[in-house]
């Protein structure tokens, strides 16, 4: 299986901050990388697909980049509704795998 | 509105069985592969199983292979997960999710609200 790692595992930030989360795959996955946001008690929500494409309805302050093994999710100006846990997911293999998550909370 | 609604969760004893259902609406269910993903309390997301649109291709995570069976009924717009020989480590919220090709690459969207399975004596 393809292993996914994320860093940091958690971070504290203030409204308006620029936030960057990193995701790394154990082997090259081209651009088969998605990002999800999950709030407590809710289902995950797709934010970014194919490494850098913004899902319909997702605010433009979210962006993704990377290819191969290294990927980044950036929130350009953190808003109160963005405090959540973020997961990357590789869909290169049939057995998709998720990163362990990055929890973003209020400083 | 595209919607997925899971049901069938509950409390079951170790070694017991449970069948989860996922009702789909708002899209042509028979055209999409579907997945089950679970999340243990306070933990991350774990893919469980997937099934192609016509049930021709079925895959399982090693952790559930031989114990869980995924199936679907396209006439009823429904996805199922039969879980046998349940263990304490199967305790989790189980989500169904549609596999959608975006820019030619798979992503899961949308997800259902989840159903909680608790395995305990």
């Amino acid at each position: 299986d393809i292993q996914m790692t994320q860093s940091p595992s958690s971070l504290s930030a203030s409204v308006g901050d620029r936030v960057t989360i990193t995701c790394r795959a154990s082997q090259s996955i081209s651009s088969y990388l998605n990002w999800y946001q999950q709030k407590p008690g809710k289902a995950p929500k797709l934010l970014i697909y194919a490494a850098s494409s913004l899902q319909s309805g997702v605010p433009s302050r979210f962006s993704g980049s990377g290819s191969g093994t290294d990927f980044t999710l950036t929130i350009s100006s953190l808003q109160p509704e963005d405090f959540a846990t973020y997961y990357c997911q590789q869909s290169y293999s049939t057995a998709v795998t998720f990163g362990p998550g990055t929890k973003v909370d209020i400083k | 509105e595209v919607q997925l609604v899971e049901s069938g969760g509950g409390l079951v004893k170790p070694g017991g069985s449970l069948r989860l259902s996922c009702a789909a609406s708002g899209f042509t269910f028979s055209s999409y592969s579907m997945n089950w993903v679970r999340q243990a309390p306070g933990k991350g997301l774990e893919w469980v199983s997937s099934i192609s649109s016509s049930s021709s291709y079925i895959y399982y995570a090693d952790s559930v292979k031989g114990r869980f069976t995924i199936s679907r009924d396209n006439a009823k717009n429904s996805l199922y997960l039969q879980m046998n020989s349940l263990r304490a480590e199967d305790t989790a919220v189980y989500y169904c999710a549609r596999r959608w090709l975006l820019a030619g690459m798979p992503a899961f969207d949308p997800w259902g609200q989840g159903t909680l399975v608790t395995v305990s004596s």
Side-chain angles (χ1 to χ4, degrees), chain A residues 34 36 38 43 49 55 91 94, chain B residues 39 59 102 105-106 108-109 112:
Chain A
N34 307 310
Y36 299 86
Q38 187 180 34
Y49 62 90
Q55 173 63 333
S91 61
T94 302
Chain B
Q39 186 170 37
Y59 304 94
L102 294 164
M105 300 180 188
F108 289 3
D109 183 69

Side-chain angles (χ1 to χ4, degrees), chain A residues 52-66:
Chain A
S52 60
S53 296
L54 195 67
Q55 173 63 333
S56 176
V58 174
S60 59
R61 61 182 180 272
F62 291 93
S63 64
S65 65

Side-chain angles (χ1 to χ4, degrees), chain B residues 9 12 14 26 31 41 43 45 48 52 56 64 73-74 77 79 87 92 98 105 112 115 118:
Chain B
V12 61
S31 297
K43 303 298 184 182
L45 301 167
V48 172
S52 63
S56 297
V64 306
D73 185 335
N74 287 342
N77 291 337
L79 175 72
R87 307 166 180 167
R98 181 181 70 173
M105 300 180 188
T115 187
T118 303

Side-chain angles (χ1 to χ4, degrees), chain A residues 24-93:
Chain A
R24 177 164 289 175
S26 60
Q27 67 181 70
S28 178
I29 57 171
S30 183
S31 296
Y32 288 77
L33 191 284
N34 307 310
W35 289 98
Y36 299 86
Q37 177 194 65
Q38 187 180 34
K39 297 181 179 179
K42 299 296 186 182
K45 171 189 171 183
L46 178 65
L47 297 177
I48 301 285
Y49 62 90
S52 60
S53 296
L54 195 67
Q55 173 63 333
S56 176
V58 174
S60 59
R61 61 182 180 272
F62 291 93
S63 64
S65 65
S67 66
T69 59
D70 295 314
F71 303 87
T72 298
L73 173 70
T74 299
I75 310 172
S76 60
S77 178
L78 199 65
Q79 297 302 300
E81 59 268 30
D82 301 337
F83 292 97
T85 299
Y86 294 84
Y87 294 93
C88 61
Q89 176 208 34
Q90 66 80 16
S91 61
Y92 182 82
S93 65

Side-chain angles (χ1 to χ4, degrees), chain B residues 34-75:
Chain B
M34 297 294 295
N35 291 264
W36 288 100
V37 177
R38 68 184 181 183
Q39 186 170 37
K43 303 298 184 182
L45 301 167
E46 179 189 17
W47 170 78
V48 172
S49 182
S50 67
I51 185 168
S52 63
S53 58
S54 60
S55 304
S56 297
Y57 301 97
I58 288 175
Y59 304 94
Y60 298 99
D62 287 343
S63 58
V64 306
K65 201 172 293 182
R67 301 187 299 122
F68 290 10
T69 302
I70 191 172
S71 62
R72 64 190 295 162
D73 185 335
N74 287 342

